[in-house]
Amino acid sequence: MKQTAQLLFKNRRPGETVFLKEYERAGGYLGLKQALREMQPKQICELVKNSGLRGRGGAGFPTGLKWSFFPADKPAPKYLVCNCDEMEPGTYKDGELLQADPHQLVEGMIISAYALQADTGYIFIRYAYREQFANLQRAIAEATEAGYLGKDILGSGFSFELHVHGSAGRYILGEETALLNGLEGVRPNPRSKPPFPAVRGLFGRPTTVNNVETLSNIQHIVTGGAARFRDLALTVDGAGTKLYGLSGHLERTECFELPVGISLREIIDEYGGGVWRGRRFKSCLPGGASTPFLTSADLDVQLDYQTLEAVGSRFGTGGVTVFDDRTCMVAATLNLIRFFARESCGWCTPCRDGLPLVAWLLEKIEHGDGTRDDLQLLKSQYSNISGNSFCALAEGAMGPVDGLLRHFEQELVDHIEKGRCPFS
Amino acid sequence: MAELLTAEQIDQFRAHIAHIEHPRELIIDLLRAVQDKHGWVPDEGVELVAGLLGLTPLEVEEIATFYYKIYRRPVGRYPIHICDSICCWSRGGEALAEHLQKSLDIAPGETSADGLFTLLPTCCLGVCGRAPAMMIGRESYGPLNNEDVDRVLAELRQEAQA
Amino acid sequence: MPTLTIDNQQVTVPDGNTVFEAAEQLGIVVPHFCYHHALGAVGACRMCAVTVVEGSMPGMKMSCMTPAEEGMVVETGTAQAEGFREHVGEWLMTNHPHDCPVCDEGGECQLQEMTIASGHGLRNYRGNKRTYQNQDLGPYVAQEMNRCIQCYRCVRTYQDYCGGRDFGAMGSRQRVFFGRFRDGMLESDFSGNIVDVCPTGVLTDKTFRFKTRLWDLEQAPSICPHCSLGCATVPGGRYRELQRVVSGVNLQTNGHFICDRGRFGSGYVNHPARPRHARAGGSRVSVTDAVDSLLRRISETVSQHGPEAVAMVGSGRASLEANLLLRQWAAELNCPPPVFELHPRRARAIRQTVGTLSDHLASLRQVRKSDLVVVFGADPLAEAPMLALALRQVVRAGGRVVVLDPRPVELPCEFEHHPLTQEKILCLLAGNCEKELFNRLLQDLMAARRPVLVGGGDLLGGVGLQLLGHLTESCDNDDRYCLVHPLLPQANSFGAGLLEGPEQTDLLERLESGRVRALICLESDPCSEHPEAGRMQLAISRLDYLAVFDYLPTHATKRADLLLPTTTPVEGDGVFINNEGRMQAFARVLQPGVPLAVTGQGNHPPREFVPATPGCHPRPAWQLLQQVLGDERTLHGLRQAAAEHESRLEGLSDLQPGGEGLRVMPSSQAPVEESTVEIWSQDGDLRLLPVQVRYGSDHASCLSDKLTPRMTGPQLIVHPQEAEKRQLKAGETVLLKTAQGTFRFPLACDERVVRGRVIVPCLPGTPLEILVPGGLSLPCEIEGEAP
Ligand SMILES: Cc1cc2nc3c(=O)[nH]c(=O)nc-3n(C[C@H](O)[C@H](O)[C@H](O)COP(=O)(O)O)c2cc1C
Ligand code: SF4
Ligand code: FES
């Protein structure tokens, strides 16, 4: 186990939260000062583009490219919105970050807003993150007091105000356009794209939505440079570190900052302390509940966008949920599908009515009442829901079903043939 | 009925509403405030929020009923959100939920006879590293076993008596 | 204008059209639910999948969300798209209760049609279905939520299109519920439209529930008679009862929707008090005998007193054909031409519209597409409800609406209200006062790209509309006209106005002086339509002979020496010309007859057997007049002759019911000067303004009991300061003293009412009916009741 450079978790100490004094002592807000004093907004965008940073919210869209669509020259108001909904099961990294070091995000957002020439920011945070909400409020108050937020920041002429918006518990609010509706106080169904938020976002104005981790990386890219950021990754195309939240059947289920491109095996063995209770690895979700399962054949895969796509899955949010060899994958998938069906916003048919039908099929098979026809039906549900929903929620729901059908079809057949769950 | 919002809170919200461009963005804040004060959001709470924002009750209801953590029906003093998502499920969440049901003698969605606890299965609480987990009010607990749960319940019962 | 290929057929569509719309243009119906022409595409139901074979984004796509591209190749029937649509059908049906045998939507259920079109036939899902508890949405709309397929059309109609704020979507995922916060009557004046847009039996017409299966319903395209806009409707009935009215589709006028007054206001057709039998001298006679006696009496009058002794009154309620024949009759008798509008000031407003304004008239569609509408002296929800909806569309598209009116005008959208008295508005139009506001409006109108002026005929009168005409002309420029949308009193006021000869304002004097001995009224009631209703009643009682053709029970039918019952617009064919000069034909829906529900008190079969259908005597007025004239032309022949005679009616004989109608040719007659009342000097003291209200002001809707829940009682509305000045309080009963008499009514206060005016609703059938709208404000005083 070699030491990884800690950017985001540099200040993290168990059970503690770092606020302004300590944050500054550890070099906080130097990035902001550097950005405001030495860099043009365009330069920062260019730097972020060169750094290879990709969105950490799940979709992995190159951040610099996203920013390049933002019409910086349009008049105010323009918005920068931080997505801290983080409700995808297996994903808890943003919460960890904000529990330890809220100023990271605040600083990252101010620099990002400067780069985009946005004048108002919102942090959209999930209901359950009460402490993180309080941390952010305090951090914002401190930063305002210190002149890092508000009018004419550090005499640069740039002004930015930042608000925290608490949500009330729905996964769909993580989808960026639903989030914008949620912020506006209307029903949080997703919006159709185009128009993209960069054109018509919050309150009809240009808006960029980014993830907590994405935005928190910005000052490190400013201070350390693009090349260094790229070099942090272990893959050729990758860049930076990543917050990996470990969960499931591991000895240690914690969140670590490790390089992009670390292998699955190393994470499990070195950081997760191996599969719990001395059992064997069966499968895992490599990047949150919406990423297709991997199997033991994939243990040596490097955790990065392209590498995981090559093995039929996705990097997602970097939340790694491991399943031991006693896990029924039908039951696991059923649990995941129930989550997605319950979190559907109810707007489009494949998700609203299709997911409950998939859940019903899996339930039937899991309970031993399934038939070969049901297996066929499951396959046709999968292929018809995938790619055909209004937003990516139902798409994500099909991730585990995809993995189940590709890697564990035999397990489905066993359920059907035995007339019961072979694991119970 | 207990007060929905204090006069002071109402004044603060009024002032805030008067000074922002899109008052509707406060809808969740207001509903949450009513819930924090009153335990849940009764019809009168929806009407109060609507009145403050210049909306119709229906327009507020459309939002209130979307969010699972706005309670539009009475809940016990301590609403227990027991996580039923994948990480907690993988580490014994179902057994824990059963234990809760048994010790409170209620089914999911119900409120215990003493009016203290309502059991609400919920999706991922964002503490997957501490699975299995639950959230009571807005305090999260985990990892939990049956004894931990019993202890927490006992503490809360005691708190309620005091 | 991209050209693309769909199912091997080429089509060129306007920029911005979707693949769905392009297919529609080719007559290819892609199965769909959430798409609706008036509501647009939202991509929710996912039923409209097609395969884009060639294009910038090939693959299976939702056709309603995919822009048509040049050179695109699309197939609607690929295995993938068909397979997917079948799945959508299956998903939508998982929770549907399959209660078609007891569902009122049967026969017009889009869910049935689309499920079959999708190819879904066998149910795989055997689990529980989600169920709901229904709400009571009031007397008009019944709710059966279990049938819902969540297409969101109802909310999109109710909230987005119509601006209602008490019905919406609640909950989420598979438990979305469409309803109200609490049980109760839907508040929007356009609430019934959610019945039309709901593709399945969730929202049905409660007043029509369980009455008739669609395939047993007699239906025909018609024109709404409740105001001058001429919205397309499709009334339906059975057992001689008019049972429901749904919206027709005319993109030039109402689009896809109608107002609740039009939808629920047709009770007059079934009304038990309707004249059903010909009467002469107080006893029932056959129609033939009645016509004979009419001819005899009129020829006697002419021979004894000369043709001047016969007067005729046509109306904006009667069809164009009937009015034409009445005019022909007058010509044949050589008596003065008929008066087609008894209210002289209203008549002048109509004249201006038919004459000077006729080359600047805006259709309702043009109003919807406008970017700036200035409303002068009109309360759209009361005088022309669908105009209010059109104004909402202006605002939704980013346009602006400004209203100058003394009343507490409400609209389902944001607008700028300037409370000004009727006199001030006229004065402003003449450029004599409120100059700052006038100049600002003028500037905005000049700058607007598609400006429209709405003029309320009742408040503005002829002078006002004439001034409005001047204003439009000064706002015209080389690229566009500034259009006008005048509001007239009745559905065929324009058509009747077109036939009007030289101005006659002396009918009342002629009646009073005894110069007129015999009066013939065609679907009009002088006693409640003339501004001096009291004097008119007296004058009429002194006539030798009063002959009335009508389908409504009125003062005139009660006093008539000769009564010929006519049919309502749903029981005959005819043409109305709406306020923008659009000729539109309506077709017969039902044969006239007393509804079975009335004759049998709901029992069937009837206890009494008669060879003829009870109450079948009413005939279309034009047929009766043909009988009078010995005219045997067909309706078509009649229309043809009229079009030949009157060039402005070109195309009349080609009209088909259910079409878009045809604009009459413009004319520019010499302007008519309104008599020289010193209009502006009337400003200042407290004056009374009788106005139309949303429900019950027109002679038809006041006889529709379905509308009772929406009717407001008589009341006086003033600005709170006027009440305060007189130490009166809202809610208390006060005395209203006018030249017409003294009335006692409750007082209401409203900040939005202009100072110095008392607004009083016109309500036929109540003591207030003698206060006829359409005039200038009247002197009055209000005071508390003496203790
Ligand atoms: C159903 C759904 C849930 C999502 N939840 C989150 C979330 O909780 N946090 C997040 O940052 N992104 C979430 N996303 C992704 C966002 O839509 C968006 O891509 C992201 O916030 C962009 O930020 P990034 O580019 O910095 O990753 C979600 C997407 C979907 C479809
Ligand atoms: S896939 Fe459809 S129903 Fe599901 S969350 Fe997205 S828009 Fe809503
Ligand atoms: S799965 Fe239970 S907290 Fe995330």
Side-chain angles (χ1 to χ4, degrees), chain A residues 83-87 123-130 133 164-174 178-179 181-183 188, chain B residues 25 27-29 31-32 35 63 66-70 138:
Chain A
N83 188 343
C84 184
D85 190 59
E86 192 159 78
M87 283 187 65
I123 301 171
F124 184 95
I125 186 164
R126 68 172 293 178
Y127 183 83
Y129 285 171
R130 186 185 54 174
F133 185 102
V164 197
H165 177 100
S167 184
R170 282 313 289 273
Y171 171 55
I172 187 61
L173 275 292
L179 183 152
N181 278 338
L183 264 180
Chain B
E25 72 179 76
I27 200 163
I28 294 292
D29 290 351
L31 288 165
R32 279 166 49 139
Q35 179 156 304
I63 310 304
F66 194 95
Y67 293 92
Y68 292 152
K69 291 188 175 64
I70 300 294
R138 296 187 63 197

Side-chain angles (χ1 to χ4, degrees), chain A residues 58-215:
Chain A
F61 196 81
T63 306
L65 185 60
K66 184 187 245 181
W67 286 10
S68 69
F69 302 139
F70 193 82
D73 46 344
K74 277 220 180 140
K78 283 173 293 181
Y79 299 99
L80 172 66
V81 175
C82 172
N83 188 343
C84 184
D85 190 59
E86 192 159 78
M87 283 187 65
E88 182 156 325
T91 307
Y92 60 101
K93 60 179 180 89
D94 297 340
E96 294 278 321
L97 173 63
L98 294 176
Q99 197 141 34
D101 198 358
H103 276 287
Q104 290 245 19
L105 175 62
V106 175
E107 182 179 1
M109 282 191 78
I110 305 169
I111 301 177
S112 305
Y114 172 66
L116 293 165
Q117 291 293 294
D119 52 284
T120 307
Y122 281 91
I123 301 171
F124 184 95
I125 186 164
R126 68 172 293 178
Y127 183 83
Y129 285 171
R130 186 185 54 174
E131 279 169 50
Q132 290 89 334
F133 185 102
N135 291 348
L136 281 169
Q137 280 189 317
R138 177 165 160 197
I140 289 172
E142 287 179 345
T144 310
E145 175 87 359
Y148 297 133
L149 267 176
K151 292 241 170 325
D152 189 17
I153 297 169
L154 302 176
S156 64
F158 172 68
S159 304
F160 181 60
E161 56 177 279
L162 186 55
H163 310 281
V164 197
H165 177 100
S167 184
R170 282 313 289 273
Y171 171 55
I172 187 61
L173 275 292
E175 199 285 335
E176 57 181 7
T177 57
L179 183 152
L180 296 178
N181 278 338
L183 264 180
E184 288 184 10
V186 300
R187 274 178 70 83
N189 298 116
R191 302 175 179 175
S192 59
K193 296 188 261 188
F196 288 89
V199 179
R200 276 178 66 90
L202 190 60
F203 304 116
R205 303 294 309 164
T207 303
T208 284
V209 183
N210 276 121
N211 172 260
V212 174
E213 187 186 343
T214 312
L215 291 168

Side-chain angles (χ1 to χ4, degrees), chain A residues 246-259:
Chain A
L246 305 189
S247 61
H249 298 152
L250 290 172
E251 284 297 343
R252 206 163 41 237
T253 52
E254 287 169 31
C255 187
F256 300 95
E257 179 174 10
L258 296 168

Side-chain angles (χ1 to χ4, degrees), chain C residues 598-622:
Chain C
V598 176
T599 48
Q601 262 93 54
N603 291 329
H604 186 75
R607 298 289 173 269
E608 194 186 326
F609 292 91
V610 281
T613 311
C616 67
H617 306 284
R619 304 228 186 118
W622 59 268

